[in-house]
Amino acid sequence: MDSQVAVALALSLVGGVSTSLGALFVIVNQTPNLKMLGLLQGFAAGLMLSISFFDLAHNALNSLGFLKGNLWFFAGVIFFGVVASFIPEPTLAPTSDVKGRKKNGDEGGKDTMKKHRRQVLFSGIVTAVGISLHNFPEGMAVFLGSMKGLRVGINLALAIALHNIPEGVAVALPVYFATQSKWQAFKLASLSGFAEPLGVIIVAYLFPSSLSPEILEGLLGSVGGVMAFLTLHEMLPLAFDYAGQKQSVKAVFLGMAFMSASLYFLSISLPEDLSL
């Protein structure tokens, strides 16, 4: 159990660090390339959809049967749908809006500028809280995936890490604009990302040390539902906004192909004593 927790923590830290990478993208480049972010979001969406439907949900259906597998899957969808309704959705403020706010602030005087900065800072803090809450179930997903096998854990961590880079941008951009502090933007984005390993620790010590195979498959099926909802509810709309529908769809299928290839190469390269 301790070794499984250690592996899950290491994998979840990859996701946490990737949020910091998104923040670095903001503080190094003052004008983020939103089209590239949209393409990255579409690519990560393809990874997530492949994991959700072709791996987690597929295994749950095979192990538990069609009815039970679907019940577990849609339980995850409903659960995260309810959670999402109470969480302010993380959004990435377009740079044109940021520039417009700055321009209006200059024209309106220092007081107006301060008001704009407070509003933008508040949006950044709300975004950070929302992303932190989203990262809890992602950390749980990595832990449950690692219990199932190293392949599942690695692929979940990879998809979540790619997804977390735009999330880091979403937090850092408004904070950087409001505070003009690279350190504050980087710090807040990084803290929101490290909610993921915290989710690993929580689920590791709340769940019993040994779960029946049926319960484990069911929970992983629910994780598939969570990931599918997250992808369709958050990732694809952002990709469409920033990169356009046609380019985003291409990025989605590229991500799905990449995940299929990674599943194959991992299956033939990992030692037999590592359960897949």
Side-chain angles (χ1 to χ4, degrees):
M1 180 68 174
D2 290 337
S3 62
Q4 289 176 330
V5 174
V7 170
L9 274 174
L11 292 175
S12 64
L13 283 172
V14 173
V17 170
S18 68
T19 309
S20 301
L21 290 178
L24 282 175
F25 184 82
V26 169
I27 63 180
V28 172
N29 304 286
Q30 288 190 335
T31 306
N33 186 334
L34 297 183
K35 182 176 181 180
M36 184 59 64
L37 285 174
L39 292 175
L40 180 62
Q41 195 81 320
F43 183 81
L47 300 181
M48 296 283 242
L49 289 175
S50 290
I51 292 173
S52 298
F53 292 111
F54 301 152
D55 195 357
L56 301 178
H58 174 75
N59 290 339
L61 291 172
N62 287 339
S63 300
L64 306 177
F66 185 82
L67 178 60
K68 287 185 178 181
N70 272 283
L71 288 175
W72 278 102
F73 177 84
F74 284 104
V77 172
I78 294 171
F79 166 75
F80 202 75
V82 172
V83 170
S85 66
F86 292 100
I87 300 174
E89 292 189 22
T91 55
L92 179 61
T95 51
S96 59
D97 291 348
V98 173
K99 291 179 180 177
R101 288 171 182 169
K102 190 172 182 179
K103 182 178 180 182
N104 293 337
D106 290 335
E107 293 174 352
K110 292 182 179 180
D111 291 340
T112 307
M113 172 59 83
K114 289 181 180 179
K115 181 179 179 181
H116 278 291
R117 292 195 188 280
R118 284 197 299 268
Q119 291 173 342
V120 175
L121 178 61
F122 178 75
S123 72
I125 293 173
V126 169
T127 301
V129 173
I131 287 177
S132 298
L133 293 175
H134 282 299
N135 282 342
F136 276 111
E138 290 178 355
M140 296 177 183
V142 171
F143 175 75
L144 293 173
S146 299
M147 288 186 64
K148 172 65 176 178
L150 188 58
R151 174 180 61 81
V152 179
I154 288 175
N155 282 287
L156 278 172
L158 174 63
I160 290 170
L162 287 174
H163 171 56
N164 283 355
I165 293 175
E167 288 185 346
V169 175
V171 176
L173 185 61
V175 175
Y176 183 36
F177 168 77
T179 65
Q180 299 295 302
S181 170
K182 295 182 178 181
W183 167 243
Q184 292 296 332
F186 181 80
K187 180 175 67 174
L188 191 58
S190 298
L191 287 175
S192 68
F194 284 104
E196 191 170 314
L198 184 59
V200 171
I201 295 173
I202 290 175
V203 74
Y205 294 103
L206 284 181
F207 282 93
S209 58
S210 59
L211 294 174
S212 70
E214 182 175 345
I215 295 296
L216 179 57
E217 289 291 352
L219 288 172
L220 287 169
S222 295
V223 168
V226 169
M227 294 299 175
F229 186 93
L230 176 66
T231 301
L232 299 175
H233 186 259
E234 296 181 19
M235 299 171 69
L236 281 182
L238 282 178
F240 288 167
D241 285 343
Y242 296 136
Q245 293 186 9
K246 292 184 178 179
Q247 295 299 321
S248 297
V249 168
K250 293 177 183 177
V252 169
F253 281 107
L254 182 62
M256 296 178 75
F258 180 86
M259 180 55 65
S260 297
S262 71
L263 291 173
Y264 172 73
F265 286 114
L266 277 171
S267 66
I268 65 175
S269 62
L270 290 175
E272 293 184 0
D273 59 340
L274 291 176
S275 174
L276 296 177

